[in-house]
Amino acid sequence: MNSVRARLLSALAGQLGNPHGALGKGVAFVLNRGNKAAIAGAVRAADVAPGGAAADVGFGGGAGLSLLLERVGASGVVHGVEISADMLARARSKHGSDLAAGRLRLVEGSLTALPLPDDSLDAAITVNTVYFVPELAAACAELARVVRPGGRLVIGIGDPDAMAKLPFTSYGFTLRPVPEVIAALEQAGCAVEHRRLGSAPIPHHLLVATPR
């Protein structure tokens, strides 16, 4: 029984890091619902203006894409970067008119290999993704690279102590202390503001970084 439970939890953790297949469709719904408050908080903290260029890296179910599109308006551009081919296909299906208008650009990529030019964004968000990235310093350096000096990049993470109590986070998650993530952003040349969201079901931390 324990081995079956371990396999199920490992499969769930894998889907959360890279949603795919029939199960991935359900995971996308869960990601949008469970991360709603954290994603909305990250979009607010990114504070991108109408006409701006923004990105959601590891957008999963796509809730952040819709919120960023609302923020940048008709003259802005939102980039969606995702490693999951199924989540990219889901977003393409949902946002056909935005893609056709050039307001949304969807590309395959990861936190450590962003297919974006230097200083090309006014803002970037990534929520509940850094648990799956072994190279935290490289990820922070990539985010800082693509956001212009004075812009904002926002990393959202669940509170590590609360996350550690979830049964699936021992399978493939790296739950780093918040100061470690802040230090990686500072090493990448950013000034960092630490904000807290006490929303259920998991409290979140928003690390609002400004590349210098």
Side-chain angles (χ1 to χ4, degrees):
M1 181 65 72
N2 286 339
S3 62
V4 172
R5 182 174 184 271
R7 287 198 299 272
L8 289 173
L9 291 173
S10 179
L12 175 58
Q15 283 284 348
L16 291 171
N18 184 2
H20 58 277
L23 183 57
K25 296 178 181 179
V27 169
F29 174 81
V30 170
L31 287 173
N32 278 347
R33 184 169 184 175
N35 295 338
K36 182 178 179 180
I39 293 170
V43 170
R44 288 194 300 270
D47 197 29
V48 62
D56 187 351
V57 182
F59 58 78
L65 299 177
S66 297
L67 293 174
L68 287 172
L69 284 165
E70 290 176 8
R71 294 286 300 224
V72 302
S75 59
V77 177
V78 173
H79 299 264
V81 182
E82 176 59 60
I83 62 171
S84 168
D86 287 359
M87 293 301 99
L88 283 164
R90 184 178 189 273
R92 291 189 185 103
S93 176
K94 180 179 179 181
H95 293 283
S97 60
D98 296 314
L99 289 164
R103 298 182 60 232
L104 178 63
R105 301 172 186 175
L106 299 173
V107 291
E108 183 178 353
S110 69
L111 276 168
T112 53
L114 295 173
L116 297 167
D118 295 357
D119 302 335
S120 58
L121 302 175
D122 298 301
I125 69 168
T126 187
V127 178
N128 289 335
T129 57
V130 296
Y131 323 122
F132 308 107
V133 180
E135 309 90 355
L136 177 63
C140 290
E142 267 293 87
L143 288 166
R145 177 184 67 79
V146 300
V147 175
R148 64 170 176 79
R152 286 189 175 184
L153 66 93
V154 183
I155 295 180
I157 57 174
D159 182 79
D161 292 335
M163 292 284 288
K165 297 176 182 177
L166 300 176
F168 51 81
T169 54
S170 59
Y171 298 88
F173 281 65
T174 300
L175 302 178
R176 299 178 175 90
V178 175
E180 182 179 337
V181 185
I182 292 174
L185 286 166
E186 290 175 340
Q187 183 181 356
C190 298
V192 184
E193 177 189 354
H194 180 193
R195 303 182 187 179
R196 292 173 173 83
L197 293 174
S199 56
I202 297 293
H204 272 70
H205 301 264
L206 295 179
L207 306 179
V208 186
T210 303
R212 299 185 177 93

